[in-house]
């Protein structure tokens, strides 16, 4: 039975929170100078003391006719305002057919405003499908590096091949971004980042590098952290070589948060949502996202669909912003009643319904879920013979929704479903069933979990108890705990995932190693070692 008094109390609390948030925002907004229109933007030729393009350039979210170009002006990247004056500045941009920027085919102007940290997003339209382009920005007396980007093939075309990489979990302090360095040298059509692009922790001594500033809370804190990461030449190189498609996990805001619920109790709910608004805005400012992701207060829509012709359709998910609280206090638990509660949700109702519609209308031959947390229901065996333990921060904590989604994919015959995952700083290949605890049932999808770029520091090729883990989880085909990324080659006939690892990330410029490859044949869910 529904307890009405409880519902009313919850509703009152929500109204109270949104009213306080509204007042907080009203105050913040009224203190902003009225800036931003083209007419008011500074057109004077600014002479910058330092390079305003210290954060490089990037592009993202390609369609068959356009792409979004990004930069953020920051002559002093570790200042909260990037070292920019509190005025709007006009930037010009150019798109060319060649890397020498000789054959310029499109130009335009954009305004970088102080409200958005002098970041710009240019939605270039009217490009030809399935083509490479080059671009750059100009402001004052400064010119940006040239970036390379591309459009995706037309929606009615079956491309012969797609080559992309996916990555996650790049911790500044725990290693050099050598994996990005190698990713930048791969010939990729697109790079996908599955979250933990930054970490929110305060700077610590005696690590490979040191975070600037305290644990992140204010907009200035988050801006500085994003800017510090973007000063990395290897990250810049990876961004400048191909378009990126990004989504976040928890550390872009705070560890293991669930919607508006912090990991630890005792945080003021309004302050927490204000902090979320700061984190989301800085993320928006720092990523090549389309303006339709512009945050509204503490909310920002990141889930979206990206079709690569008819070959593959990417559904990019957000499993942090709308999720219900982790059951069992987020401690590894048996799949008990709390974990199996059908009310638990990682996607939230709106996103879950959108995802179903998106999967039904997809014309992709491969249907990819680009998301954060592991979908494989991996049970960790206990030496005492008790039932295995599952991570409550991952899909097993939301097992009913997880099984319903897998059942939906199977029932509606969504072609060739593949799940891409980050989050847990380790490599996995999982055959997914509706219920992974029933190995006698058919495999309905394949999951590739990619390790971290640096998080966790140097990994290890040896996993203690691996045999036992694999024996207890027949869906798991591979597991490894080294650093790196995954390159995928997709054709109408097959999907190949190549696991690349960097053995030492605490030393710069180390080599990358091809560790292992797995193939999925079209029409046959499940991975096989090559
Ligand atoms: Fe992470």
């Amino acid at each position: 039975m529904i307890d009405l008094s409880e519902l009313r109390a919850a509703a009152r609390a929500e109204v109270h929170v949104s009213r306080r948030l509204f007042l907080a925002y009203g105050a913040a907004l009224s203190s902003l100078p009225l800036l931003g229109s083209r007419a008011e933007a500074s057109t004077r030729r600014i002479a910058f003391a330092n390079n305003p393009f210290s954060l490089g350039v990037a592009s993202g979210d390609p369609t068959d006719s356009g792409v979004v170009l990004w930069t953020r002006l920051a002559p002093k990247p570790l200042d909260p305002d990037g070292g920019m004056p509190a005025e709007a500045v006009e930037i010009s941009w150019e798109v060319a057919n060649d890397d020498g920027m000789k054959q310029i085919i499109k130009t335009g102007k954009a305004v970088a405003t102080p409200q958005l940290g002098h970041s710009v997003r240019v939605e270039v339209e009217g490009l030809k499908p399935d083509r490479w382009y080059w671009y750059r920005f100009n402001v004052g007396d400064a010119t940006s590096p040239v970036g390379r980007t591309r459009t995706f093939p037309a929606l009615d075309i079956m491309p012969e091949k797609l080559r992309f990489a996916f990555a996650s979990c790049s911790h500044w302090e725990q290693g050099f971004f050598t994996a990005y360095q190698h990713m930048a040298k791969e010939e990729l059509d697109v790079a996908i980042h599955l979250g933990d692009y930054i970490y929110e922790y305060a700077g610590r001594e005696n690590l490979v590098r040191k975070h600037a500033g305290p644990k992140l809370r204010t907009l200035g804190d988050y801006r500085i952290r994003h800017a510090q990461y973007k000063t990395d030449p290897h990250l810049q190189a990876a961004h400048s070589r191909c378009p990126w498609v990004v989504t976040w996990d928890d550390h872009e805001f705070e560890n293991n948060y669930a919607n508006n619920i912090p990991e630890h109790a005792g945080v003021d709910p309004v302050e927490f949502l204000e902090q979320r608004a700061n984190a989301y805005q800085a993320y928006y400012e720092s990523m090549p996202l389309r303006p339709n992701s512009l945050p509204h207060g503490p909310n920002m829509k990141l889930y979206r669909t990206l079709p690569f012709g008819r070959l593959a359709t990417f559904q990019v998910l957000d499993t942090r912003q709308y999720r219900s609280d982790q059951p069992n206090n987020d401690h590894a638990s048996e799949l008990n009643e709390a974990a199996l509660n059908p009310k638990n949700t990682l996607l939230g109702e709106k996103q879950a319904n959108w995802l179903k519609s998106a999967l039904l209308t997809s014309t992709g031959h491969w249907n990819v879920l680009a998301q954060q947390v592991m979908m494989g229901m991996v049970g960790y065996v206990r030496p005492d013979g008790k039932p295995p333990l599952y991570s409550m921060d991952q899909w097993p904590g939301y097992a009913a929704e997880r099984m319903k989604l897998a059942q939906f994919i199977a029932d509606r015959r969504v072609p060739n479903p593949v799940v891409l995952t980050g989050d847990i700083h380790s490599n996995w290949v999982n055959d997914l069933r509706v219920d992974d605890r029933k190995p006698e049932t058919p495999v309905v999808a394949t999951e590739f979990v990619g390790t971290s770029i640096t998080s966790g520091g140097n990994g290890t090729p040896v996993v203690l108890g691996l045999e036992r883990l694999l024996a207890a989880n027949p869906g798991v085909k591979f597991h490894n705990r080294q650093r790196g990324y995954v390159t995928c080659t997709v054709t109408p006939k097959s999907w190949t995932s190549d696991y690349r690892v960097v053995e030492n990330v605490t030393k710069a410029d180390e080599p990358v190693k091809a560790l292992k490859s797995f193939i999925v044949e079209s029409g046959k869910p499940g991975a096989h070692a090559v």
Side-chain angles (χ1 to χ4, degrees):
M1 203 180 85
I2 299 167
D3 182 343
L4 279 178
S5 65
E6 207 170 272
L7 272 181
R8 272 190 221 107
R12 266 200 306 275
E14 204 143 281
V15 167
H16 177 67
V17 166
S18 57
R19 168 109 190 113
R20 273 185 63 202
L21 249 191
F22 174 77
L23 291 174
Y25 269 91
L29 283 174
S30 63
S31 66
L32 280 176
L34 287 172
L35 290 171
S37 74
R38 172 82 42 91
E40 292 166 72
S42 177
T43 49
R44 69 193 158 87
R45 206 170 157 79
I46 305 172
F48 291 96
N50 299 310
N51 174 18
F53 295 107
S54 63
L55 311 182
V57 298
S59 68
D61 280 23
T63 63
D64 60 355
S65 63
V67 67
V68 60
L69 309 180
W70 172 93
T71 193
R72 182 178 163 234
L73 302 177
K76 292 181 186 160
L78 299 190
D79 278 7
D81 58 9
M84 290 293 290
E87 59 180 298
V89 174
E90 195 172 270
I91 296 186
S92 67
W93 55 268
E94 300 164 285
V95 173
N97 277 331
D98 61 308
D99 59 353
M101 300 298 292
K102 299 234 161 32
Q103 242 191 64
I104 289 177
I105 52 148
K106 277 187 190 294
T107 61
K109 291 195 189 312
V111 180
T113 68
Q115 299 95 307
L116 290 175
H118 291 94
S119 61
V120 291
R121 283 144 295 278
V122 175
E123 290 186 287
V124 183
E125 266 308 317
L127 301 177
K128 292 189 178 129
D130 204 9
R131 274 205 51 170
W132 287 99
Y133 293 96
W134 287 260
Y135 62 94
R136 72 181 169 204
F137 297 92
N138 298 288
V139 63
D141 58 358
T143 299
S144 78
V146 174
R148 187 179 76 152
T149 191
R150 62 165 296 146
T151 51
F152 278 178
L155 296 178
D156 58 343
I157 299 288
M158 177 61 89
E160 279 171 25
K161 196 165 93 174
L162 158 67
R163 215 175 118 72
F164 73 96
F166 68 94
S168 63
C169 298
S170 29
H171 195 304
W172 178 266
E173 295 187 321
Q174 294 178 346
F176 294 105
F177 291 169
T178 320
Y180 284 143
Q181 184 178 1
H182 293 290
M183 239 175 84
K185 289 181 202 146
E186 304 246 10
E187 285 299 315
L188 306 172
D189 294 309
V190 61
I192 298 182
H193 202 287
L194 298 173
D196 291 358
Y197 186 98
I198 60 159
Y199 282 77
E200 80 281 19
Y201 302 115
R204 282 171 301 175
E205 301 296 336
N206 305 320
L207 295 168
V208 174
R209 307 186 275 190
K210 193 180 169 191
H211 275 153
K215 181 177 172 292
L216 308 183
R217 198 175 56 80
T218 67
L219 176 59
D221 294 341
Y222 282 101
R223 272 183 182 159
I224 289 171
R225 187 61 52 85
H226 273 286
Q228 183 177 30
Y229 276 56
K230 277 269 175 20
T231 58
D232 185 279
H234 304 313
L235 178 56
Q236 282 193 20
H239 272 295
S240 74
R241 290 297 291 162
C242 69
W244 281 43
V245 171
V246 300
T247 184
W248 54 37
D249 195 13
D250 50 339
H251 288 285
E252 283 83 353
F253 170 24
E254 191 159 303
N255 186 45
N256 282 12
Y257 78 98
N259 187 342
N260 55 359
I261 303 161
E263 185 180 23
H264 303 293
V267 181
D268 179 274
V270 168
E271 274 176 31
F272 194 65
L273 277 181
E274 280 190 287
Q275 187 189 330
R276 190 172 101 171
N278 295 335
Y280 285 10
Q281 181 176 332
Y283 185 80
Y284 174 78
E285 291 172 355
S286 306
M287 294 294 154
L289 287 165
R290 292 195 179 259
N292 61 13
S293 280
L294 176 74
H296 298 270
N299 307 311
M300 179 170 152
K301 186 169 169 276
L302 210 47
Y303 60 83
R304 58 204 190 275
T305 300
L306 289 112
F308 188 87
R310 283 172 49 210
L311 181 57
T313 301
F314 293 91
Q315 313 294 351
V316 181
L317 306 185
D318 173 357
T319 59
R320 284 289 163 192
Q321 189 175 181
Y322 315 103
R323 68 157 74 188
S324 54
D325 200 10
Q326 292 91 342
N328 297 312
N329 288 320
D330 203 1
H331 295 137
S333 302
E334 297 173 18
L335 276 192
N336 55 14
E337 210 178 314
L340 290 160
N341 185 341
K343 285 188 188 146
N344 298 356
T345 179
L346 265 189
L347 299 171
E349 195 186 351
K350 207 171 157 192
Q351 182 178 207
N353 285 333
W354 160 83
L355 176 59
K356 282 189 217 157
S357 304
L359 289 170
L360 291 180
T361 51
S362 161
T363 51
H365 182 71
W366 296 91
N367 282 281
V368 191
L369 303 187
Q371 55 100 53
Q372 294 78 18
V373 288
M374 189 149 81
M375 199 171 269
M377 298 158 68
V378 175
Y380 296 88
V381 266
R382 289 191 276 181
D384 54 12
K386 286 188 187 155
L389 299 178
Y390 295 81
S391 164
M392 293 295 107
D393 189 56
Q394 298 163 24
W395 282 92
Y398 306 79
E401 185 182 45
R402 145 76 177 75
M403 292 190 283
K404 251 171 80 180
L405 177 59
Q407 189 73 59
F408 178 87
I409 286 170
D411 287 350
R412 304 302 166 97
R413 304 169 72 196
V414 175
N416 296 311
V418 175
V419 180
L420 305 180
T421 304
D423 176 51
I424 45 171
H425 315 163
S426 47
N427 289 312
W428 301 75
V429 176
N430 301 326
D431 288 355
L432 301 179
R433 296 173 166 84
V434 169
D435 184 342
D436 288 341
R437 295 169 299 177
K438 298 177 179 161
E440 69 282 5
T441 58
V443 176
V444 299
T446 318
E447 178 176 39
F448 295 107
V449 183
T451 188
S452 63
I453 295 287
T454 59
S455 302
N458 290 330
T460 164
V462 183
V463 177
L464 289 175
L466 181 63
E467 312 266 278
R468 213 171 48 188
L469 181 82
L470 295 177
N473 296 277
V476 177
K477 293 295 179 73
F478 173 61
H479 174 50
N480 158 277
R481 296 187 188 162
Q482 288 173 289
R483 306 288 81 93
Y485 60 94
V486 183
T487 304
C488 303
T489 306
V490 186
T491 73
K493 283 205 172 115
S494 66
W495 174 301
T496 308
S497 290
D498 299 310
Y499 282 79
R500 309 263 202 240
V501 297
V502 178
E503 284 178 345
N504 186 352
V505 294
T506 55
K507 194 166 159 250
D509 303 318
E510 287 290 285
V512 70
K513 196 172 104 181
L515 180 66
K516 208 147 172 112
S517 297
F518 288 85
I519 191 164
V520 184
E521 283 168 40
S522 169
K524 293 177 200 153
H528 305 278
V530 176

